[in-house]
Structure formats: C-alpha cells, structure tokens
Amino acid sequence: MASISLTNFMTCLAFLSTLALCGSQAFCRSHDGQSMMVRRHEEWMAKHGRTYKDMDEKARRCIIFKQNVEWIDNFNTAGLDRRYTVSVNEFADLSNEEFRAMRNGYKRQTSKTTYTGSSIATSFRYANLSDVPASVDWRQKGAVTPIKDQQKWCCWAFSAVASMEGINQLKTGKLISLSEQELVDCDTKGEDQGCGGGLMDNAFQFIIQNHGLTTEDNYPYKGADGTCNSNKTTAIAATITGYEDVPANDEKALLQAVANHPVSVAIDADGTAFQFYSSGIFNGTCGTDLDHGVTVVGYGADADGTKYWLVKNSWGTGWGEDGYIKMQRDIDAKEGLCGIAMEASYPTV
C-alpha cells in the first residue's frame, strides 16, 4: 500500500478544515472524489466511535482510510478466482504495519515439547484415528464461547483459553468463559510477556502449574498488562492435566485432533487481505512467519468441495464472519495455509 503523500495529506487536511469551519458536511458536498472519501471517513468514524487528538492526526487517518478503502474496492472488483471477500471494518484507519503491531502477538517456538505434569509424552494420541466425521463444528456442540476481543497483542492467551474452554465443556458438560487476563497478568515467565506476546504451550504449562484458571467474570479482561491478583486466582473454575503438540506440518494430524476438540494453532496473519477479511474461504497469499494465535473449532467443505478449517479469532465480531474465518484446508504445502499446521497444540484432561 502506498505511503501517505504530502499532496494527499494536505488535500485531506484542507477538506477537514473546511468541514470544521462550516460546521456541516452538506456545505462541502461535491462530486470530487476526495470530499466523498472524507465524508465516508466521517461516517465510518461515527459508526465506530472513533475520535482523534487533532486535525493533523485526523488527516493522516483519513488518508490511510482512503488507501485502505481503495484497496478493498479494487480487490473485490478485480474478477480474480478468489473464494473470499474483504470489507471496510473497524481497522480501516490503520496501516497494515500498525495493525500487525497491535493485533498479532504470537512468538515462534524455539523447541517443541509435550508437558503432562509428571512425564514427557512421546506419541500423538490420535495417530491411529481413521474414522473422522466429514465435518465438525464445535460451536454447534456447545464447546465454544462467544467471540471475544483481545484489543492488543494478547492473542496467545485467547487461543489457549478457547481450546481449554472446549476441553472443559467436553469433560464437564458446562461451557465456562475462562480468564485471559489471568494469563496476561500472572503468566509472565520466559517468552510469555502479557500483551507483549507469548505462546500457547507456555500458557498451558502455566495453567497446569497454577492448578487451573478462574472465570472471565471473576477476573475480567482489561486489554492491558496488570499485576497478578492472587485473591482472584484462587477461585479455580477449570483445570487441565497436560497438553500435547500435534505433529508438525501434517494437516491430517490436525484434522484428527480437531475431530475430537478445539485446537490452538499459530498462523501468519500479517497480510492486508487478512486484516480486512469479510467472508468466504480464505485462500489468499500468506507465508509461514507465524505471528498470531487462533483456535480451530471445526472443519468442513463448501458446495463445490473446497475444504476449509473453521477458525475462531479474537478480533471482535465485526471482523470476518462474525469473528470467524474459514481457511482453505488440504493445500499442497505440508505446513498448511498460512502455516496453520506448523505449531498446533491442545490441553488434555
């Protein structure tokens, strides 16, 4: 996406200044594309409750918004063989660089281990599972809590909690929303650094050593790092006994695991198309530089047979399909689309 030019900045600032002086957008209406984009930005701001510190900041955001809208419109009208669409969402005034820095907080693993609390497991428990359903949606089975909004870089905590919520529901029959904030505040050893980023496997190990997690209601999410509140962490609502890693670069193994419960995965989610994904089966270009933790909560295929993973994100319900994304499954690359099969894991009970 092009950088903000001085001409564009001054044009947008001039329109915004005129709007401020006249006090009415109606005064400034014309057929000029720049003024139309300014009005569209104003409408978007009102819809999402966005405000800026001054006119200069507003002008900068207006230009980024304009560039993003033009990219989205061009993408959707290009007529290429894409299975998904993009749309203007609440992130439309952020550059892709800003968006990545704000929303993606997964840290690549330096080694792969499996922790059970007493010994290291050496096998994948679903390796011999051959009879799996053609499709699975753990939402329909009551094992998925509503979409949450991480706000900043705490994706790893939301991914780990979502898979733990699923395992707990399958064990107890009760769906309990667990506390991401407890992980953010209290799991601060090693690579887990609150909203500075972390790993799902490390989160599972913390939960085991902590003897469980409390509820979201008891320890609500704040969207920022805080001091561990030991008075709240004693009210344990769910426990796990260990966790296991899915064999790397193996979509079949991931399928075997997801057929049994939700699974935490890491993906490369730094593209502009991912930022503005709206609907359909995502089959866009992405790499394997894993930077975002999400949770696979099912799989299936569309009417023409295209297979997909059903993925729960933590960017709120305004993103994607009410907070979810379908990502193409069984592609030629062994690591899966966007590296989805590279570092998958799940808690055990």
Side-chain angles (χ1 to χ4, degrees), residues 126-147:
Y126 305 119
N128 297 321
L129 182 65
S130 57
D131 185 16
V132 298
S135 64
V136 166
D137 186 342
W138 288 110
R139 298 175 301 180
Q140 297 177 359
K141 300 178 184 295
V144 183
T145 56
I147 290 291

Side-chain angles (χ1 to χ4, degrees), residues 83-87 276-282 320-321 324 326:
R83 297 183 175 274
Y84 65 102
T85 62
V86 293
S87 67
F276 297 114
Y277 166 81
S278 178
S279 64
I281 299 177
F282 181 83
E321 296 187 352
Y324 292 87
K326 294 175 181 174

Side-chain angles (χ1 to χ4, degrees), residues 78-225:
L80 301 178
D81 183 22
R82 297 186 176 111
R83 297 183 175 274
Y84 65 102
T85 62
V86 293
S87 67
V88 177
N89 58 27
E90 65 179 290
F91 310 122
D93 69 341
L94 298 174
S95 70
N96 185 247
E97 292 77 12
E98 291 172 324
F99 178 78
R100 295 199 313 263
M102 180 182 295
R103 290 280 169 165
N104 297 352
Y106 179 79
K107 294 184 177 180
R108 290 295 303 274
Q109 301 229 36
T110 56
S111 62
K112 298 289 285 182
T113 58
T114 303
Y115 178 83
T116 63
S118 59
S119 63
I120 299 298
T122 58
S123 62
F124 173 53
R125 66 179 58 195
Y126 305 119
N128 297 321
L129 182 65
S130 57
D131 185 16
V132 298
S135 64
V136 166
D137 186 342
W138 288 110
R139 298 175 301 180
Q140 297 177 359
K141 300 178 184 295
V144 183
T145 56
I147 290 291
K148 304 178 183 182
D149 189 348
Q150 69 185 59
Q151 301 175 36
K152 293 188 178 179
W153 309 276
C154 308
C155 60
W156 61 277
F158 283 79
S159 174
V161 164
S163 56
M164 182 176 171
E165 289 168 341
I167 288 287
N168 183 64
Q169 191 277 339
L170 294 171
K171 175 186 177 182
T172 66
K174 297 179 181 179
L175 182 62
I176 302 172
S177 183
L178 300 173
S179 175
E180 292 85 8
Q181 193 67 42
E182 182 176 357
L183 287 175
V184 170
D185 290 354
C186 305
D187 178 16
T188 57
K189 294 181 180 179
E191 293 176 293
D192 289 357
Q193 295 298 320
C195 285
L199 298 165
M200 285 79 81
D201 279 8
N202 288 4
F204 296 144
Q205 185 163 342
F206 168 83
I207 294 166
I208 295 163
Q209 295 171 338
N210 191 56
H211 307 295
L213 280 181
T214 191
T215 65
E216 179 83 19
D217 286 341
N218 183 52
Y219 205 148
Y221 188 64
K222 298 178 181 178
D225 296 336

Side-chain angles (χ1 to χ4, degrees), residues 9 12 16 19 41-42 45 52-63:
F9 175 81
C12 199
L16 291 170
L19 287 174
H41 181 226
E42 292 278 349
M45 288 176 58
Y52 303 111
K53 63 181 181 180
D54 54 34
M55 292 297 288
D56 285 347
E57 173 65 12
K58 189 174 182 180
R60 284 192 290 270
R61 293 299 162 192
C62 172
I63 293 302

Side-chain angles (χ1 to χ4, degrees), residues 15-85:
F15 276 116
L16 291 170
S17 298
T18 304
L19 287 174
L21 289 171
C22 70
S24 169
Q25 292 188 34
F27 177 87
C28 308
R29 283 178 184 161
S30 72
H31 296 292
D32 184 86
Q34 292 285 356
S35 63
M36 291 175 63
M37 190 60 70
V38 170
R39 291 197 300 273
R40 189 169 177 181
H41 181 226
E42 292 278 349
E43 292 168 357
W44 176 89
M45 288 176 58
K47 177 180 178 181
H48 296 285
R50 189 78 87 248
T51 58
Y52 303 111
K53 63 181 181 180
D54 54 34
M55 292 297 288
D56 285 347
E57 173 65 12
K58 189 174 182 180
R60 284 192 290 270
R61 293 299 162 192
C62 172
I63 293 302
I64 293 173
F65 178 84
K66 174 180 180 294
Q67 292 173 332
N68 282 332
V69 169
E70 290 174 346
W71 185 92
I72 290 166
D73 290 344
N74 290 336
F75 182 98
N76 287 331
T77 59
L80 301 178
D81 183 22
R82 297 186 176 111
R83 297 183 175 274
Y84 65 102
T85 62

